[in-house]
């Protein structure tokens, strides 16, 4: 559609992205853990595609954003080093797989320097983290099976005392339940141990996080809106029967470590949507999630009364609108259509779009691309 009518995309976006829509936009309903994975940056994607086009089908990067539609949990980014050290000391089966000498090296390198801003300390800490994580990821398969049995038994037996009572930020029972749940889905999988290296995050409805290329993650449960740069490149290493590429994963990661609060986004009011009086009086809102990339941003619109209306100003790029709750009407120019849960609409560049609620709660998500210079009228 957009290739046949370039005006739908705008000339600027058509030229920049080769006539292709620059983002992918979808709803995921996660009932079973998705794979432990990362997406390559642009340079690595080009290299992987040239070397193995079967498993890496394009040469683009894939930063992505997740917005919770229902309560969500997942594993995202490396934990602060003090938390990883805690688990190496309180989860014997984890320490066995990493190796006692590697675990000691990690502890000695990072102790007292876990939050140092020194470039030298950061480099040493990241190298120690890479060494420990790579040791885990390259564990012998039979050793993983034995360690997993030990881990699950400990989780069931220890309850709230599991993993040293959960460590600095997690609850022991919470982690014990998580191990049991994940083992029921992927019995004996290495991912049961990867969770001790990664932040365990929960998002409430409307909360969001952004994952850069090269950020390791796994989505565990919940319904989410996911928007990402247009690519199918995935480097997997756990919780999956699909192709795994452990050597690429362990070499590509940045090994940045931080609490999950640093990956959560701070949405703001979207300034280019006008609400009518009914929308204002019912506390309706249009909220912008704007990641630090050009390919996409997302607006969540929640209209909370029949007759509440949001009018979106024309923008210099394409939009896709998905309804996740309720029903209403969407108008683009003289054309009006019914929109309700599960419906998807494409809105071309420079077109005004109007959403009007017919239910007491009408929720939509609008993904769009607008280049900054075009948005500023340059």
């Amino acid at each position: 559609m957009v290739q046949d009518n370039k005006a739908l995309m705008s000339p600027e976006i058509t030229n920049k992205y080769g006539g292709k829509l620059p983002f992918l936009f979808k709803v995921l309903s996660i009932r079973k853990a998705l794979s432990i994975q990362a997406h390559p940056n642009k340079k690595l994607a080009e290299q992987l595609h040239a070397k193995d086009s079967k498993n890496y089908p394009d040469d683009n990067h894939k930063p992505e954003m997740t917005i919770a539609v229902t309560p969500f949990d997942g594993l995202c980014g490396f934990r602060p080093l003090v938390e990883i050290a805690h688990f190496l000391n309180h989860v014997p089966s984890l320490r066995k797989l990493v190796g006692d000498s590697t675990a000691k090296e990690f502890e000695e390198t990072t102790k007292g320097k876990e939050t140092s801003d020194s470039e030298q300390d950061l480099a040493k800490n990241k190298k120690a983290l890479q060494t420990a994580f790579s040791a885990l990821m390259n564990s012998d398969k039979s050793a993983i099976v034995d360690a997993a049995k030990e881990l699950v038994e400990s989780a069931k037996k220890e309850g709230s005392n599991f993993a040293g009572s959960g460590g600095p930020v997690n609850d022991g029972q919470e982690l014990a339940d998580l191990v049991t749940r994940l083992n029921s889905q992927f019995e004996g999988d290495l991912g049961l141990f990867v969770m001790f290296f990664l932040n365990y995050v929960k998002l409430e409805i409307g909360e969001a996080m952004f994952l850069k290329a090269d950020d390791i993650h796994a989505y565990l449960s919940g319904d989410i809106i996911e928007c990402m740069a247009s690519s199918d490149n995935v480097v997997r290493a756990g919780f999956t029967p699909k192709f795994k590429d452990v050597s690429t994963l362990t070499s590509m990661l940045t090994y940045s470590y931080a609490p999950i609060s640093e990956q959560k986004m701070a949405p703001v009011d979207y300034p280019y949507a006008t609400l009518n009086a009914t929308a204002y009086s019912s506390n309706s809102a249009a909220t912008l999630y704007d990641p630090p990339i050009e390919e996409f941003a997302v607006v969540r619109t929640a209209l909370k009364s029949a007759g509440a209306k949001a009018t979106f100003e024309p923008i210099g790029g394409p939009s896709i609108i998905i309804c996740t709750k309720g029903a209403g009407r969407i108008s683009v120019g003289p054309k009006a259509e019914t929109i309700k849960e599960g419906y998807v609409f494409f809105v071309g560049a420079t077109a005004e779009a109007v959403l009007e609620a017919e239910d007491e709660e009408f929720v939509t998500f609008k993904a769009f691309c607008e280049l900054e210079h075009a948005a500023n009228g340059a």
Side-chain angles (χ1 to χ4, degrees), residues 81-82 85 89 103-116 121 124-125 128 257:
L81 301 181
V82 67
N89 274 298
K104 284 181 179 176
E105 180 184 349
F106 175 84
E107 293 158 357
E108 291 169 359
T109 300
T110 62
K111 189 172 183 179
K113 301 175 182 177
E114 297 94 341
T115 59
S116 172
D121 290 341
K124 289 181 178 179
N125 285 348
Y257 46 89

Side-chain angles (χ1 to χ4, degrees), residues 11 51 56 70 148 150 154 158 215 239 245 270 287 303 305 369 372:
K51 183 175 70 173
Y56 301 104
T70 66
E150 180 183 338
S154 296
E158 296 172 15
D215 276 350
F239 293 152
D245 193 346
Y270 181 58
T287 306
L303 299 177
S305 178
C369 178
E372 186 175 345

Side-chain angles (χ1 to χ4, degrees), residues 77-79 126 129 199 212 215-216 253-258:
F78 285 104
R79 294 176 178 268
K126 287 183 178 182
L129 177 56
N199 288 300
K212 302 184 296 295
D215 276 350
I216 187 170
L253 300 175
T254 62
Y255 293 96
S256 297
Y257 46 89

Side-chain angles (χ1 to χ4, degrees), residues 32 76 89 97 107 119 131 163 182 254 271 330 344 368:
K32 183 178 182 180
C76 301
N89 274 298
L97 291 180
E107 293 158 357
E119 288 189 15
T131 299
L182 294 176
T254 62
I330 180 171
V344 181
F368 65 93

Side-chain angles (χ1 to χ4, degrees), residues 4 14 52 70 94 131 137 165 168 181 215 297 317 320 330 368:
D4 292 338
T14 295
D52 182 3
T70 66
L94 173 66
T131 299
M137 297 305 296
S165 300
R181 171 167 46 118
D215 276 350
I320 292 177
I330 180 171
F368 65 93

Side-chain angles (χ1 to χ4, degrees), residues 70 92 95 105 111 138 141 164 175 194 257 279 283 285 353 360 364:
T70 66
R95 193 177 186 93
E105 180 184 349
K111 189 172 183 179
N138 287 287
K141 289 185 179 180
L175 290 182
V194 173
Y257 46 89
N283 201 30
E360 293 304 308
T364 62

